[in-house]
């Protein structure tokens, strides 16, 4: 029998599509709010996440996601990558499967691909083994954004 | 591995947008006259650019038309080099967001200045224009400053 993986929470939020109506150009309010809701419903904090898949439609989107999801303070996203914190063995492995950019960001299917990857991660069935993130809490996070970042969904998965 | 097969459609889809502008027609007519009109919500005071007939903040449809002076300061900008297909014939263009004197922000092309001369905080003016093919539009142009030289003494 397959090991079940559960959807603990899904947080979602939307913001204005009009860039000139946004207060902050350096992050996505929809991601921030979606994440807060997801963490609250799941009863966890960012540090409890073992592995994450974030919406890296563009490089900067991944960096902003680290900050919006609470993995680091605002402005520290790039340092996280430089210091290896988002690699397997790092503080919070992110996009171990290469993310959206590695698969050409097929719109819509990337969300499902994230859930498939995170399910494998939670079941500790990732091959090759070097791509398997260490499980402490058996908790994973999927982050998806649509449009021009004006709507976001954050899902917390648990085994 | 064999070359992947594909089937090409023999029908082409043309998409043209027809946007109803009855309730904001003053804006479109104004652009032709070289003026920029926006709507101000009488209930909550929010100014909307581009103008709207219904306030997204408070839900009121009680709007007043206000003419924008157009002066503002650049908050952020980018230069678009790889363009979407329908813009492919344009030279590389700068898109900027400026905060206008009236407190509302606007997003528009910034023309009349080279990319390397654009500065955050630089003063610009949002102006109405009519393109060579008769379409109304608006853009930011740099606001000329007269510089007063202070002599050393």
């Amino acid at each position: 029998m397959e090991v079940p993986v559960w959807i603990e929470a899904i947080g979602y939020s939307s913001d204005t599509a009009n860039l000139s109506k946004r207060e902050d150009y350096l992050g996505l309010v929809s991601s921030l709010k979606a994440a807060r809701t997801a963490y609250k419903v799941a009863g966890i904090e960012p540090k409890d996440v073992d592995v994450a898949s974030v919406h890296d439609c563009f490089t900067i989107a991944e960096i902003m996601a680290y900050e919006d999801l609470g993995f680091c303070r605002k402005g520290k996203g790039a340092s996280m990558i430089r210091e290896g914190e988002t690699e397997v063995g790092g503080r919070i492995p992110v996009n171990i499967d290469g993310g959206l950019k590695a698969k050409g960001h097929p719109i819509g299917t990337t969300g499902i691909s994230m859930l498939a990857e995170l399910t494998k991660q939670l079941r500790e069935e990732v091959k090759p083994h070097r791509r398997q993130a260490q499980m402490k809490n058996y908790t994973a996070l999927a982050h998806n954004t649509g449009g021009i970042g004006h709507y976001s969904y954050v899902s917390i998965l648990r085994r | 591995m064999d070359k992947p097969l594909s089937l090409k459609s023999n029908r082409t889809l043309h998409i043209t947008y027809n946007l109803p502008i009855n309730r904001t027609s003053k804006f479109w007519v104004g652009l032709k006259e070289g003026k920029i009109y926006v709507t101000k919500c009488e209930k909550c005071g929010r100014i909307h650019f581009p103008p709207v007939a219904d306030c997204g903040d408070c839900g009121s449809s009680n709007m007043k038309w206000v003419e924008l002076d157009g002066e503002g300061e650049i908050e952020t900008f980018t230069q678009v080099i790889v363009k979407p297909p329908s813009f492919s014939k344009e030279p590389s263009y700068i898109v900027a967001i400026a905060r206008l004197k009236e407190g509302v922000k606007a997003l528009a092309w910034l023309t009349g200045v080279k990319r390397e001369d654009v500065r955050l905080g630089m003063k610009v003016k949002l102006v109405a224009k009519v393109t060579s093919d008769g379409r109304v539009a608006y853009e930011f142009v740099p606001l000329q400053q007269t510089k007063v030289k202070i002599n050393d003494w």
Side-chain angles (χ1 to χ4, degrees), chain A:
Chain A
M1 197 184 96
E2 283 185 339
V3 175
V5 166
W6 306 94
I7 301 173
E8 284 284 305
I10 299 180
Y12 53 92
S13 185
S14 60
D15 187 18
T16 171
N18 189 329
L19 296 178
S20 72
K21 297 193 186 205
R22 296 189 190 178
E23 284 314 308
D24 183 10
Y25 307 124
L26 306 177
L28 298 176
V29 167
S30 67
S31 285
L32 192 76
K33 288 186 176 176
R36 282 205 185 133
T37 303
Y39 289 136
K40 187 173 169 190
V41 172
I44 63 168
E45 289 177 2
K47 64 173 175 56
D48 300 323
V49 177
D50 293 319
V51 65
S53 286
V54 306
H55 197 89
D56 65 320
C57 43
F58 310 105
T59 308
I60 190 62
E62 177 159 349
I63 294 172
M64 291 197 309
Y66 296 166
E67 298 168 9
D68 292 332
L69 296 170
F71 296 153
C72 68
R73 274 186 4 251
K74 192 80 149 189
K76 294 295 175 192
S79 328
M80 278 192 78
I81 300 172
R82 285 194 198 109
E83 285 155 31
E85 293 193 294
T86 55
E87 296 182 27
V88 171
R91 182 162 61 86
I92 169 68
V94 181
N95 287 4
I96 303 307
D97 63 346
L100 273 53
K101 294 199 299 296
K103 56 176 83 87
H105 185 20
I107 295 172
T109 41
T110 56
I112 297 181
S113 171
M114 284 184 184
L115 296 183
E117 163 70 11
L118 295 177
T119 299
K120 285 185 214 156
Q121 289 280 351
L122 289 168
R123 287 178 178 164
E124 296 172 300
E125 290 172 355
V126 175
K127 289 185 173 49
H129 185 72
R130 65 171 186 278
R131 290 212 300 105
Q132 174 66 56
Q134 193 199 358
M135 293 291 125
K136 284 173 231 137
N137 303 312
Y138 292 88
T139 301
L141 180 151
H143 160 256
N144 292 103
T145 295
I148 9 175
H150 60 290
Y151 48 95
S152 295
Y153 290 77
V154 172
S155 310
I156 306 292
L157 305 178
R158 197 172 263 166
R159 174 183 140 191

Side-chain angles (χ1 to χ4, degrees), chain B residues 81-148:
Chain B
I81 299 166
V82 178
K83 299 145 204 150
S86 60
F87 285 77
S88 55
K89 293 192 175 59
E90 309 274 352
S92 295
Y93 48 91
I94 302 171
V95 179
I97 295 177
R99 187 175 292 269
L100 307 181
K101 255 167 47 180
E102 292 84 355
V104 68
K105 292 195 284 187
L107 181 149
W109 282 19
L110 172 59
T111 61
V113 59
K114 287 203 210 88
R115 162 68 183 86
E116 53 268 23
D117 295 331
V118 181
R119 297 280 179 275
L120 292 187
M122 75 184 270
K123 296 212 186 309
V124 293
K125 192 170 160 77
L126 187 69
V127 295
K129 70 177 211 180
V130 180
T131 65
S132 52
D133 54 340
R135 287 180 301 108
V136 288
Y138 50 81
E139 64 188 12
F140 290 123
V141 295
L143 202 61
Q144 302 307 330
Q145 304 262 59
T146 40
K147 287 199 173 147
V148 178

